Amino acid sequence: VQLQASGGGLVQPGGSLRLSCAASGPNLDYLAIAWFRQAPGKEREGVSCIFAYDGTTYYGDSVKGRFTISRDNAKKTVYLQMNNLKPEDTGEYYCAADKRPLYGTSCLSRYGKDYWGKGTQVTVSS
């Protein structure tokens, strides 16, 4: 499985961006795909995850109510709609996938992920 994140950029506080994570490979229907972000000098943080099979979603506390994760199984793509962006949302955003995911917030853990894509930079600044 290969993952490719895109859609990052520079945006003012309060603005919006939509990130995309395109997946390729066999047996994608039972993956859980998660978004992570990492700011300089900080640990990689789980932002949101979605189960491809039934669309179950989870969010980190810092983004609840502002970010929305969704998937298009036909396009093999997961989206992260980010609204009301704040400077503290700045970082490199990565998508990652579990082959045998378990329901629950463990999908937001950076440990045990089977696949990682390269990141896309999001900068929130005036």
Side-chain angles (χ1 to χ4, degrees), residues 8-28:
L10 173 63
V11 63
Q12 291 186 342
S16 298
L17 279 176
R18 190 177 79 158
L19 305 184
S20 298
C21 176
S24 61
N27 303 322
L28 301 179

Side-chain angles (χ1 to χ4, degrees), residues 45-76:
E45 172 192 16
V47 173
S48 184
C49 61
I50 187 166
F51 285 69
Y53 179 70
D54 62 4
T56 298
T57 59
Y58 298 91
Y59 295 91
D61 289 341
S62 62
V63 305
K64 284 180 181 177
R66 299 188 299 122
F67 290 11
T68 302
I69 193 170
S70 61
R71 95 270 194 220
D72 184 331
N73 285 355
K75 294 183 178 179
K76 298 182 180 180

Side-chain angles (χ1 to χ4, degrees), residues 6-12 14-20 35 66-69 79-86 89-91 93 120-125:
S6 62
L10 173 63
V11 63
Q12 291 186 342
S16 298
L17 279 176
R18 190 177 79 158
L19 305 184
S20 298
W35 284 99
R66 299 188 299 122
F67 290 11
T68 302
I69 193 170
Y79 304 99
L80 185 68
Q81 178 66 43
M82 306 186 295
N83 297 329
N84 190 22
L85 282 160
K86 304 176 180 181
D89 294 317
T90 294
Y93 282 67
T120 185
Q121 177 68 34
V122 172
T123 302
V124 184
S125 175

